[in-house]
Amino acid sequence: RGDSAAADRTVDSVCPYCGVGCQLTYHVKDDAILHVSGRDGPSNQNRLCVKGRFGFDYPRHAARLTAPLIRRPGVPKGLDPDFDPADPSTHFREASWEEALDAAAGGLTALKAAHGPKALAGFGSAKCSNEEAWLFQKLVRTGFGSNNVDHCTRLCHASSVAALMECLGSGAVTASFMQALEADVVILTGCNPAVNHPVAATYFKQAARRGTRLIILDPRGQVLDAYASLSVRFTPGADVALFNAMLNVIVAEELYDDAYIAEHTEGFEALKASVVDMTPEAMSELCGVAPETIRDIARRYATAERAMIFWGMGISQHTHGTDNARCLISLALACGQTGRPGTGLHPLRGQNNVQGASDAGLIPMVLPDYQPVGDAQLRAAFEELWATPLDDQPGLTVVEIMGAIHAGEIRGMLIQGENPAMSDPDLHHARGALARLEHLVVQDLFVTETAQFADVILPASAWPEKDGTVTNTNRQVQLGRAAVALPFDARPDWWILQEIARRFGLAWDYAHPREVFAEMKLGMASLDHISWARLEREGSVTYPCPADDTPGADVVFHDAFPRQGGRARFSPTRPLPPDEPVDAAYPTVLTTGRQLEHWHTGSMTRRSRVLDALEPEAVASLSPGELDRLGVAPGAPLTITTRRGTITLRSLSDPAMPDGMVFVPFCYAEAAANLLTNPALDPYGKIPEFKYAACRLSRADEA
Ligand code: SF4
């Protein structure tokens, strides 16, 4: 591989994969990235994981779009097994940008004229920059004319954000993951950082070596168990039972922090009353944890001087995901474990810019900075900023949009960099919806599974080709810089959005993302004291930032919470069963997620040479006992069936898996896990239950 000496220049940027937001340097020669090295960023201190280090070559993959495409007449929309993304000419013809943009915008404006603004919707992308997210939601709100705009936060941490907004008044983390180094106790639950946030995992390992006691609560085992003082595996879907039993212990043994509760919270008496019957003995069978172990976890957390809770999608991706997060928030509030160094609540955000895209308003119920669309005063500020009246009704969410297409209510869509034909639950339903759209415009790097349903495909920019800011899980706003030129006839995403906006009659005239960032600052108080020039100098500034010469607040809410009266709120919960409990016909729990080497639907990492070589094939992970019971040899093919579909893939013997459960990564189109998943939604966050579906396993030769 190349070394620094072989490169003719270096460009500092940020990793495009996970929410850790590692700063990196691209080493470039002859407009090609030779290799990548870590930088001394605030969240990585020179470290990179395998994706950040080796997943840089996807933009030059042979299947990269070279020109705008328009669907050939008569070619049916959908996934054709004979379609070759590297040669899309069988299904699409090349077009000039002028023709493609006219066709893209023309189809959408015609549907709006015929059926009204709510016939259109847009999915923006947490892989794009803050500026592109801002422009995308602005286009939908001021051009399309509704709030039908969403993105993959809906599939990720929407329930966590719903609970945090309700209880604390803010949807972001209260402390960075580096604060784990200051904590005496760290609870990791429903997350697997060594796989999904690998550099954050190095901080947890470092903390454990320094004396922090890690407590891991999860149905599955994981690498970090080796660093934990206590690892507890509980029954899938029984999170609320376990956490409420911990709260019961904290109340019964008076381990709560009276002074903190009195000064900073409201609703503790209601919480106390709600958990009185949920003793460890009463909840033990439901959550599969012994009463004494529940007491032990509760005591360790409550009596620690400084304790933090980190969680991932094992918490959020349930029909009771918001309740799960409410419980974790109650634990922290009851024990006074927020607002000080080494304390806090931290949902580990998934995509590199899911925090920033959410902050920028890529959400159907709130304007930028989480300002509700129904609040006339807040809405008026944006109407003045954008000189356009805005819809006062919340729009539809990701999964709701698919239902609205089937119902004939939504007829046209713009999708930027998202891949719902792989990422949505119950893919037969989602793909059926995409095929029904009268007009679909996709801007992306490749003819993804979703783009195969498009009428017009617009070749967009990869992260190493663009300037822009992103916001990581720690609330750190960071600057990425273009390292290489756009290849072929690809264009920046912000430029594409501007051209579509102009065809909707909007007078947009941005010349560079820094001008968009300047406009964002007019509508987003969270960006106070953060300027493009400052980011060019410093690379990273954390919000909220109180002054131009401070790095921003790593830990927030020491004095007050951003709710009326400054108090956080307890939100009591009761255990609920999964939407689709296992039964005699479907006796095994299916859970889905990511792998270390692959990112989400694989559109980037499966086109990265090293990463694809490391993990080239879909596998289903099961316990050795489960494989024995099925009579399936490790490595032999296995068929998984749910009420929605069937896939066949190789089996992997994994001692970290509990009996009665199978794990499937969702990045492989040839064995798409989401053909199986349950689209039932959490009522508050509207997030699907990706972490629990009832399934049936069989040897492939018996299926
Ligand atoms: Fe990139 Fe996340 Fe890996 Fe850091 S930990 S290199 S941000 S994928």
Side-chain angles (χ1 to χ4, degrees), residues 636-662:
L638 175 83
T639 295
I640 309 176
T641 302
T642 68
R643 292 182 174 87
R644 293 156 294 280
T646 296
I647 62 172
T648 296
L649 67 176
R650 243 180 241 285
S651 61
L652 175 75
S653 177
D654 181 354
M657 292 298 298
D659 292 343
M661 186 183 229
V662 58

Side-chain angles (χ1 to χ4, degrees), residues 14-98:
V14 185
C15 175
Y17 290 106
C18 89
V20 170
C22 296
Q23 291 193 358
L24 52 72
T25 297
Y26 291 115
H27 297 256
V28 182
K29 183 177 175 62
D30 299 333
D31 206 35
I33 298 169
L34 294 183
H35 67 111
V36 171
S37 57
R39 276 198 292 146
D40 192 13
S43 67
N44 68 314
Q45 295 175 304
N46 300 305
R47 305 167 218 190
L48 293 176
C49 79
V50 67
K51 289 189 290 293
R53 196 169 293 285
F54 295 111
F56 60 83
D57 53 344
Y58 66 93
R60 298 298 168 99
H61 188 271
R64 179 77 186 261
L65 281 162
T66 59
L69 299 176
I70 293 178
R71 178 174 294 279
R72 292 188 184 280
V75 174
K77 294 183 176 184
L79 298 182
D80 176 351
D82 295 327
F83 177 72
D84 176 5
D87 177 20
S89 63
T90 51
H91 292 52
F92 300 90
R93 67 172 173 83
E94 291 194 359
S96 69
W97 269 101
E98 202 63 20

Side-chain angles (χ1 to χ4, degrees), residues 121-122 135-149:
L135 291 183
F136 194 95
Q137 58 88 36
K138 182 179 173 183
L139 169 61
V140 173
R141 292 193 156 109
T142 65
F144 294 10
S146 84
N147 291 306
N148 283 340
V149 59

Side-chain angles (χ1 to χ4, degrees), residues 144-443:
F144 294 10
S146 84
N147 291 306
N148 283 340
V149 59
D150 208 356
H151 74 296
C152 68
T153 190
R154 197 63 43 206
L155 309 176
C156 161
H157 265 304
S159 46
S160 307
V161 172
L164 288 164
M165 289 296 293
E166 174 196 17
C167 299
L168 307 189
S170 163
V173 301
T174 73
S176 74
F177 61 71
M178 296 88 77
Q179 288 296 322
L181 297 170
E182 309 296 323
D184 300 305
V185 167
V186 163
I187 289 182
L188 300 169
T189 184
C191 60
N192 189 351
V195 169
N196 296 319
H197 302 84
V199 167
T202 67
Y203 286 81
F204 299 138
K205 293 177 187 172
Q206 199 177 343
R209 286 204 185 98
R210 287 187 187 183
T212 301
R213 279 157 292 150
L214 296 187
I215 299 174
I216 299 180
L217 310 176
D218 203 279
R220 299 165 63 201
Q222 57 180 282
V223 167
L224 287 181
D225 287 339
Y227 297 80
S229 65
L230 183 64
S231 287
V232 176
R233 298 195 193 181
F234 62 91
T235 304
D239 320 60
V240 169
L242 173 61
F243 302 147
N244 273 339
M246 289 168 61
L247 283 163
N248 172 284
V249 174
I250 289 164
V251 169
E253 299 185 7
E254 297 187 0
L255 302 176
Y256 49 84
D257 184 337
D258 257 334
Y260 180 91
I261 291 167
E263 193 177 346
H264 294 293
T265 72
E266 61 188 34
F268 186 56
E269 290 307 314
L271 181 91
K272 272 168 90 172
S274 77
V275 299
V276 76
D277 60 333
M278 290 188 268
T279 62
E281 284 71 20
M283 295 294 107
S284 175
E285 190 177 342
L286 191 53
C287 67
V289 182
E292 266 324 295
T293 305
I294 297 173
R295 288 197 170 83
D296 185 22
I297 306 164
R299 289 169 187 156
R300 289 185 194 217
Y301 177 74
T303 60
E305 176 63 25
R306 293 159 298 178
M308 297 186 74
I309 302 177
F310 294 86
W311 71 93
M313 280 168 260
I315 290 296
S316 61
Q317 289 177 334
H318 285 282
T319 47
H320 52 270
T322 303
D323 282 346
N324 289 348
R326 284 171 173 148
C327 289
L328 299 176
I329 294 165
S330 290
L331 283 165
L333 295 178
C335 302
Q337 298 289 16
T338 64
R340 294 174 287 122
T343 68
L345 290 157
H346 190 126
L348 287 154
R349 305 308 301 260
Q351 294 266 21
N352 63 325
N353 197 35
V354 71
Q355 182 65 58
S358 302
D359 298 343
L362 216 53
I363 297 180
M365 55 290 281
V366 292
L367 293 156
D369 264 359
Y370 306 94
Q371 302 184 59
V373 296
D375 185 315
Q377 199 177 342
L378 297 174
R379 202 175 58 251
F382 282 93
E383 289 174 333
E384 187 180 341
L385 177 63
W386 294 332
T388 314
L390 297 175
D391 184 14
D392 63 359
Q393 297 299 310
L396 298 175
T397 59
V398 165
V399 179
E400 289 173 334
I401 284 171
M402 293 301 167
I405 298 169
H406 279 292
E409 292 159 12
I410 287 179
R411 296 161 182 266
M413 282 194 75
L414 172 63
I415 298 179
Q416 175 196 48
E418 293 230 331
N419 196 4
M422 282 289 290
S423 60
D424 271 27
D426 188 8
L427 282 181
H428 288 304
H429 182 266
R431 291 172 180 176
L434 293 171
R436 276 191 66 134
L437 282 169
E438 293 168 38
H439 191 67
L440 173 60
V441 181
V442 172
Q443 55 186 89

